[in-house]
Amino acid sequence: MASVNKSNKAKHIFVTGGVTSSLGKGIISASLGKLLQARGYSVTIQKFDPYINIDPGTLNPYEHGECYVTDDGAETDLDLGHYERFLNITTSQDNNITTGRIYNNVITKERRGDYQGKTVQVIPHITDEIKFNFFKMDQSGEYDIIITEIGGCVGDIESLPFIEAVRQAKLDLGPSNFLSIHLTLIPFLSAAKELKTKPTQHSVKQLLEAGIQPDILVCRTEKPLPLEIRKKLALFCNVQLNSVIEAMDADSIYDVPLLMRKEKLAERVLSKLKLPKSEPDLDEWKAFLGKLKNPTEEVEIGLVGKYVELPDAYKSIIESFIHAGAENECRVKIRWISSESITPLVVKDLLEGLSGILVAPGFGERGIDGKITAIQYVRENKIPFFGICLGMQCAVTEFARNVLKMPHADSTEFNPQTADPVIYLMNDQKDITNIGGTMRLGAYPCKLQKGSKVQAIYGRQNISERHRHRYEFNNQYLDEFINAGMKTSGINPDSNLVEIIELEDHPWFIGVQFHPELKSTAQSPHPLFQKFVEATLKFKKHSYKKEVINL
Ligand code: GLN
């Protein structure tokens, strides 16, 4: 049986959700984490997802949004991105566990004979494995408080073992080390002009049936919760009146920590966990919000991608633009452009009025020609360009076709037989067939070339960035690219792989093989996004001047 670490010093907060999914447990958890961190507590957040996939790496972004990659190469749920962006911390594989991973661990142990012939069951074997993972991060001794978000809704068949493990965790930890927060919805019926508490009462009842009494109710609502409603919720759900917390819809997710501060969420948590309450230091957060809310400029940037109907697929990119925009005191408006809609005939119209474009990461052939057409247009017209992963690979292909005059240049991902495989699969990756097995995942070092634009942007020479891709720049073509003006300004010092390309005779044309968007946080915006937004602002001012001169 897995051993459950009971001698931990971390206190545990479990966040469950009821009534419906998508209530924003991730943002509430991240906001609570921020408020506790602002009082000097060392906090981390972990997410337990009830689906059977071992990790979200193979999930379709249409169904699940972006796959967030951590430094240690874990492909995780996009909520981990919120945890990192709010808390300015790094997370790892240990912060995201799925049902699939739990069962995989238990089955591996069973096959190995660890259970010594015992019948392997949901209780205790699966629940013990879940609890082992609940408490795994205690072992480092690094955290005062660990917040655990349970994905899905109370009452879902899939969530049952997790909820049961939470019930047991309370017994293992003891009351002042355990806290249960239930996030629920208080719908407003416009016909009756009333906020309704019944769905919450039902959802709390379901939690109670599973043996968990919520200590705090966080109520998502579009209207303020009047005292009467709070009293009713407190009475029927058996929580203290001051533990009914209103979570009003906010303009921006970054407002939520301050909204939760007004409602005294962290105070309630700290008194229930018997921890000292000091005044939080939220100065930096407020400074960020101040800049975010009071932009003096606005730019419009085109985001060229395959999944433009579902912005969650590009969550981290959107958030990085918000951070970088705030830093530049500039509102970044995103124009979503489906790569499939771009042809040489319409490219000018589609990109009209934009101050820059970002070509997004992606897998598969759809829309590649559109991306290449857009890149040719911005390269030739000196419009700021930022290519991420597939976006960089397309920039390399475009340059090969149109500048190096290799009309058939391609990535072998799209044309395995191409005469000029400028982007290719390296030999040692070819035989691996397990999906995900061939991917370069997680943090890799990169050395920036002296005197390059990227070195000036980062202000240093050695960086580390996160990757998630299979294909690479083909170094056989290196000299031809360099001689024609495409600098390979970031190189992996161990493998010599090209990680960054930039153009010399262009104001801002940078492609990166890694995903800088995964490392941008509210309090430390990523330098590449920051400077890209700055370049688009310059471009906008410059083109405005040109227009005025031409009048
Ligand atoms: N499909 C490309 C590759 O696997 C790019 C992946 C990405 O953009 N994340 O290399």
Side-chain angles (χ1 to χ4, degrees):
M1 240 186 257
S3 73
V4 173
N5 171 16
K6 288 187 215 160
S7 61
N8 57 77
K9 75 171 185 66
K11 309 247 181 187
H12 283 262
I13 301 172
F14 291 89
V15 182
T16 54
V19 182
T20 170
S21 55
S22 308
L23 279 183
K25 280 194 298 281
I27 301 295
I28 293 291
S29 303
S31 301
L32 172 60
K34 183 84 233 163
L35 293 172
L36 295 169
Q37 198 188 46
R39 286 174 167 85
Y41 290 103
S42 153
V43 184
T44 192
I45 312 180
Q46 51 186 351
K47 172 137 196 222
F48 282 66
D49 273 314
Y51 49 76
I52 299 178
N53 309 60
I54 302 258
D55 58 46
T58 50
L59 286 175
N60 183 341
Y62 269 126
E63 273 188 42
H64 203 77
E66 165 191 272
C67 167
Y68 190 80
V69 179
T70 53
D71 273 342
D72 63 344
E75 298 180 284
T76 71
D77 184 84
L78 56 75
D79 270 333
L80 269 75
H82 291 309
Y83 308 160
E84 293 204 0
R85 288 188 281 270
F86 275 58
L87 301 190
N88 218 9
I89 56 168
T90 51
T91 55
S92 71
Q93 179 66 73
D94 291 344
N95 294 72
N96 191 202
I97 306 287
T98 65
T99 292
R101 189 169 294 271
I102 296 286
Y103 272 81
N104 199 30
N105 292 351
V106 169
I107 291 167
T108 308
K109 287 180 190 167
E110 189 274 330
R111 295 285 83 186
R112 218 166 47 200
D114 289 11
Y115 299 114
Q116 296 174 342
K118 283 234 159 25
T119 310
V120 180
Q121 293 178 303
V122 174
I123 305 172
H125 301 96
I126 294 295
T127 47
D128 271 350
E129 183 65 29
I130 295 174
K131 283 197 291 174
F132 174 77
N133 283 281
F134 280 169
F135 301 140
K136 197 168 172 195
M137 281 195 294
D138 292 12
Q139 284 155 19
S140 70
E142 210 183 304
Y143 302 109
D144 304 316
I145 301 170
I146 297 176
I147 301 174
T148 302
E149 180 190 340
I150 307 289
C153 252
V154 169
D156 292 350
I157 291 178
E158 291 92 339
S159 315
L160 285 174
F162 290 112
I163 301 291
E164 164 61 12
V166 173
R167 183 192 70 78
Q168 294 178 21
K170 180 172 186 176
L171 291 179
D172 293 339
L173 289 161
S176 63
N177 295 322
F178 170 98
L179 189 90
S180 153
I181 297 181
H182 189 55
L183 178 64
T184 176
L185 175 71
I186 312 292
F188 179 74
L189 288 192
S190 40
K193 298 207 171 31
E194 251 184 285
L195 286 163
K196 292 305 212 181
T197 63
K198 198 63 98 187
T200 297
Q201 294 178 38
H202 281 299
S203 146
V204 169
K205 211 179 213 166
Q206 266 179 319
L207 254 189
L208 282 168
E209 273 168 20
I212 299 170
Q213 164 67 54
D215 299 295
I216 294 177
L217 276 186
V218 177
C219 307
R220 272 300 295 273
T221 169
E222 30 172 323
K223 306 264 181 229
L225 289 186
L227 185 61
E228 282 318 297
I229 296 281
R230 292 188 192 234
K231 279 186 180 162
K232 197 168 171 186
L233 285 164
L235 181 67
F236 283 96
C237 301
N238 197 26
V239 295
Q240 288 172 306
L241 182 59
N242 64 8
S243 297
V244 177
I245 303 288
E246 166 194 291
M248 283 269 287
D249 293 351
D251 291 343
S252 151
I253 54 171
Y254 299 103
D255 289 329
V256 180
L258 296 188
L259 292 178
M260 290 301 104
R261 166 134 175 76
K262 264 205 208 135
E263 286 288 300
K264 299 198 174 1
L265 173 61
E267 276 92 332
R268 304 272 32 100
V269 164
L270 291 170
S271 43
K272 285 178 192 293
L273 290 177
K274 305 208 170 14
L275 286 170
K277 284 174 266 179
S278 55
E279 267 304 293
D281 175 2
L282 287 163
D283 289 354
E284 265 190 61
W285 191 262
K286 286 183 186 161
F288 159 70
L289 276 182
K291 285 193 269 181
L292 179 67
K293 299 272 160 147
N294 300 295
T296 50
E297 313 265 4
E298 179 175 298
V299 283
E300 194 177 9
I301 295 177
L303 199 152
V304 180
K306 187 163 90 166
Y307 301 109
V308 289
E309 302 88 342
L310 187 83
D312 260 7
Y314 303 112
K315 189 93 208 146
S316 295
I317 292 179
I318 300 168
E319 298 305 323
S320 301
F321 274 131
I322 293 177
H323 309 150
E327 194 64 20
N328 284 286
E329 295 180 36
C330 162
R331 190 171 101 85
V332 177
K333 215 172 127 190
I334 293 179
R335 186 187 300 174
W336 298 92
I337 305 170
S338 160
S339 33
E340 284 173 292
S341 67
I342 307 174
T343 62
L345 262 181
V346 298
V347 65
K348 186 172 185 300
D349 288 342
L350 280 179
L351 306 189
E352 185 67 43
L354 293 176
S355 302
I357 70 160
L358 183 146
V359 176
F363 293 82
E365 194 181 350
R366 249 177 58 200
I368 289 304
D369 289 338
K371 286 182 175 169
I372 289 179
T373 305
I375 294 171
Q376 180 176 10
Y377 184 82
V378 296
R379 181 178 56 75
E380 291 175 351
N381 290 285
K382 308 256 190 271
I383 300 169
F385 163 79
F386 191 10
I388 296 185
C389 208
L390 179 62
M392 164 195 153
Q393 298 175 352
C394 289
V396 167
T397 309
E398 188 280 322
F399 194 82
R401 288 187 192 171
N402 299 320
V403 180
L404 303 181
K405 303 290 174 226
M406 301 172 182
H408 302 296
D410 217 326
S411 160
T412 53
E413 180 176 8
F414 312 121
N415 178 7
Q417 307 325 327
T418 173
D420 286 302
V422 285
I423 303 290
Y424 78 139
L425 212 52
M426 289 186 309
N427 277 336
D428 56 354
Q429 295 182 310
K430 281 188 182 146
D431 301 332
I432 311 173
T433 48
N434 211 351
I435 308 191
T438 54
M439 287 245 219
R440 191 142 73 97
L441 279 171
Y444 284 86
C446 170
K447 194 163 178 186
L448 307 180
Q449 197 181 84
K450 278 204 181 115
S452 62
K453 283 196 185 100
V454 282
Q455 197 218 1
I457 289 171
Y458 277 90
R460 60 202 152 98
Q461 231 191 324
N462 292 302
I463 59 164
S464 163
E465 292 281 3
R466 297 181 192 167
H467 291 247
R468 182 175 187 250
H469 57 101
R470 251 178 224 110
Y471 293 83
E472 305 285 354
F473 181 96
N474 185 345
N475 274 337
Q476 276 174 6
Y477 294 89
L478 197 62
D479 291 342
E480 284 166 82
F481 277 91
I482 295 175
N483 293 338
M486 184 174 265
K487 256 191 189 166
T488 51
S489 51
I491 304 286
N492 180 316
D494 306 318
S495 57
N496 252 341
L497 289 170
V498 172
E499 311 285 39
I500 307 179
I501 54 102
E502 61 182 57
L503 284 185
E504 285 175 14
D505 65 340
H506 191 287
W508 216 96
F509 189 104
I510 294 176
V512 293
Q513 187 56 83
F514 48 79
H515 291 269
E517 73 276 19
L518 301 178
K519 284 184 76 170
S520 184
T521 73
Q523 281 160 265
S524 3
H526 195 285
L528 283 171
F529 277 88
Q530 211 173 306
K531 296 293 178 189
F532 177 56
V533 171
E534 194 183 291
T536 60
L537 265 170
K538 265 193 209 147
F539 176 85
K540 185 182 169 187
K541 284 183 191 154
H542 182 70
S543 33
Y544 176 72
K545 260 195 227 147
K546 261 200 324 210
E547 261 176 50
V548 173
I549 291 166
N550 289 339
L551 276 180

